[in-house]
Amino acid sequence: MDPEASTNSPDTDPAGEVVDLCRELIRFDTSNYGEPDGSGGPGERKAAEYVAGLLEEVGIESRLYEGTPGRTNVVAHWGGGDPTRTDGLLLHGHLDVVPAAAEDWQVDPFAGEIVDGYVWGRGAVDMKDFDAMLLSLVRARQRAGRLPDRPIVLCFTADEEAGGHHGAQVLVEQHREEFEGCTDAVGEVGGFSTTVRGRRLYLIEAAEKGMAWMKLTARGRAGHGSMINDDNAVTRLAGAVARIGAHQWPVRLSPTMEVLLATVADLAGTEATPENAPALIEEFGGAARMLGAVIRNTANPTQLQAGYKVNVIPTEATAHLDGRFLPGYEDEFFTTLRELCGDDIEWDFLSHQQPWETPYDGDLVAAMTRSVLAEDPEALVAPYTMSGGTDAKHFRNLGLRSYGFAPLRLPADLDFTALFHGVDERVPIDALQFGARVFDRFLTDA
């Protein structure tokens, strides 16, 4: 069926509910404070029940799963009308968000307000926008009887913002049967546009850096702060942290980024090389802060703690580190990190997850490209590597080919990547509607 046929009625328009649903989802405070045991924060239960109710309202049954009380995941099966299609497709989005300090915002971060053509609120771009797109188009297609031929698994997870250990990891380890038959997965942080030399370029996530959230510990000899002490844990740790923070990691181009940089180089009238990769990244403007992090490994110290009194040298000092490593460069990352730390610094992993990279080819990539170009014919589409982490790290353990595709056509002057976990997070209304239409086309073609 022609996707345009669904736009005749508000009830069957794939974009008909997307704005209202995004606002409603934002109003559920699902702040994730990242406690390892899953405690702290309100959890996702109320939002998950709301999502399950929206699906049930149009006749789609879902199941709720919790590995930890209140950390709730939603799973539903949909479509699959063609018995010859055994290649299931997983569509996943998370319901939790990072915390927001209301005093820093222009609007209440959990009010879902509309201001100047944008939906504002925590989760507007990470990632209740995509959740709303999925729900809007699924409900519209279900009402119109436009079920996909391909079997679809809809999954809305908990705890993604803290590594997914109480969300996607629980589903993969304890409820693997829900994903039986799935061959591909599509989730967040891809399909959004950037503008390079006047051309809109849509970035599809085809790779993701690995994650090493680490606690570094230095130990030394306690003593009085007024005396000489050549075994000071604070000094030892501070030196390691300073070396890590100042280290210049070399450029390393993965296959995914080679394709992206070749696309940009063509626009710039040059060729992509490791030497000019940083200059090509600068063509992305504000998005360079994210894309500049995926042509090299990174390690950023984020927390320090030591001592309990100004005149007491403590026996222990600790630091937390956010390390990210490119596909194929994990050994190089940890070898370099050990050299920077020195032998006297102990390591503990808070979360250690592998990178992944899916070849940018095949029918699914072609369907994503066609769906974007059908709505924006003059655009370009290319893959990129994500600097952060998503639930794809867990779902990849099921052997799925994974991509990030939450399409948004964005204004050229919007510093979109700054809105992830940022103050005044917001998404354009017309971008939400565009995304729902594009994804509707994608499901017809996938």
Side-chain angles (χ1 to χ4, degrees), residues 177-260:
E177 71 283 354
E178 290 282 13
F179 310 101
E180 186 175 351
C182 287
T183 58
D184 303 288
V186 173
E188 63 173 324
V189 201
F192 60 91
S193 71
T194 64
T195 301
V196 177
R197 301 205 172 206
R199 292 289 298 275
R200 264 195 302 273
L201 173 58
Y202 290 85
L203 304 178
I204 295 175
E205 184 194 13
E208 201 167 280
K209 293 178 83 173
M211 183 168 69
W213 289 349
M214 304 174 68
K215 179 182 178 181
L216 309 183
T217 303
R219 304 184 194 280
R221 185 176 69 250
H224 199 291
S226 68
M227 300 181 184
I228 293 173
N229 188 324
D230 59 2
D231 189 19
N232 188 317
V234 175
T235 303
R236 185 173 296 117
L237 180 73
V241 167
R243 290 190 295 273
I244 293 167
H247 183 69
Q248 297 295 310
W249 296 85
V251 170
R252 299 285 187 254
L253 298 184
S254 65
T256 294
M257 291 304 292
E258 287 177 345
V259 174
L260 175 60

Side-chain angles (χ1 to χ4, degrees), residues 7-204:
T7 64
N8 294 332
S9 164
D11 285 343
T12 56
D13 177 0
E17 295 184 299
V18 67
V19 174
D20 289 340
L21 292 177
C22 187
R23 297 179 71 194
E24 287 299 319
L25 287 167
I26 288 170
R27 289 169 183 153
F28 290 96
D29 181 354
T30 53
S31 297
N32 187 343
Y33 291 89
E35 297 296 335
D37 64 358
S39 64
E44 299 85 1
R45 181 78 193 190
K46 291 182 179 179
E49 289 174 344
Y50 173 71
V51 169
L54 290 171
L55 296 174
E56 183 181 2
E57 193 176 78
V58 293
I60 300 174
E61 180 185 356
S62 61
R63 283 162 295 286
L64 303 183
Y65 294 108
E66 290 184 351
T68 303
R71 312 311 304 275
T72 314
N73 305 275
V74 185
V75 181
H77 292 252
W78 180 57
D82 182 351
T84 67
R85 295 294 301 266
T86 58
D87 53 338
L89 173 62
L90 168 63
L91 305 178
H92 61 94
H94 63 86
L95 295 173
D96 63 321
V97 297
V98 296
E103 62 271 19
D104 295 335
W105 287 57
Q106 297 182 52
V107 302
D108 181 341
F110 297 104
E113 292 188 28
I114 293 178
V115 181
D116 297 332
Y118 285 73
V119 177
W120 293 58
R122 178 58 85 218
V125 301
D126 188 14
M127 61 167 297
K128 291 178 177 179
D129 56 343
F130 185 52
D131 295 336
M133 289 180 210
L134 285 182
L135 290 165
S136 180
L137 71 90
V138 166
R139 282 163 57 85
R141 291 178 73 117
Q142 183 77 3
R143 291 190 189 103
R146 298 176 56 236
L147 277 64
D149 292 334
R150 187 174 189 175
I152 304 290
V153 177
L154 303 171
C155 187
F156 300 86
T157 62
D159 196 42
E160 188 275 344
E161 295 292 1
H165 304 295
H166 301 279
Q169 182 175 333
V170 170
L171 294 175
V172 168
E173 292 180 353
Q174 300 180 19
H175 306 284
R176 198 180 187 95
E177 71 283 354
E178 290 282 13
F179 310 101
E180 186 175 351
C182 287
T183 58
D184 303 288
V186 173
E188 63 173 324
V189 201
F192 60 91
S193 71
T194 64
T195 301
V196 177
R197 301 205 172 206
R199 292 289 298 275
R200 264 195 302 273
L201 173 58
Y202 290 85
L203 304 178
I204 295 175

Side-chain angles (χ1 to χ4, degrees), residues 18-19 22 114-120 124-125 129 133 192-193 407-416 419 425-435:
V18 67
V19 174
C22 187
I114 293 178
V115 181
D116 297 332
Y118 285 73
V119 177
W120 293 58
V125 301
D129 56 343
M133 289 180 210
F192 60 91
S193 71
L408 295 170
R409 182 171 57 199
L410 300 169
D413 60 352
L414 178 66
D415 191 357
F416 182 65
L419 299 177
E425 185 179 350
R426 61 198 182 275
V427 63
I429 287 174
D430 58 0
L432 282 172
Q433 295 166 335
F434 171 87

Side-chain angles (χ1 to χ4, degrees), residues 374-440:
E375 294 286 338
D376 194 353
E378 301 302 316
L380 298 170
V381 183
Y384 87 107
T385 300
M386 170 66 175
S387 62
T390 73
D391 281 334
K393 281 184 166 57
H394 296 292
F395 291 125
R396 288 279 296 186
N397 292 326
L398 298 172
L400 310 183
R401 286 169 56 98
S402 296
Y403 298 96
F405 185 58
L408 295 170
R409 182 171 57 199
L410 300 169
D413 60 352
L414 178 66
D415 191 357
F416 182 65
T417 58
L419 299 177
F420 285 86
H421 298 189
V423 172
D424 293 336
E425 185 179 350
R426 61 198 182 275
V427 63
I429 287 174
D430 58 0
L432 282 172
Q433 295 166 335
F434 171 87
R437 292 194 304 270
V438 169
F439 213 88
D440 183 59

Side-chain angles (χ1 to χ4, degrees), residues 358-369:
T358 302
Y360 188 67
D361 58 24
D363 293 341
L364 203 68
V365 167
M368 288 186 280
T369 302

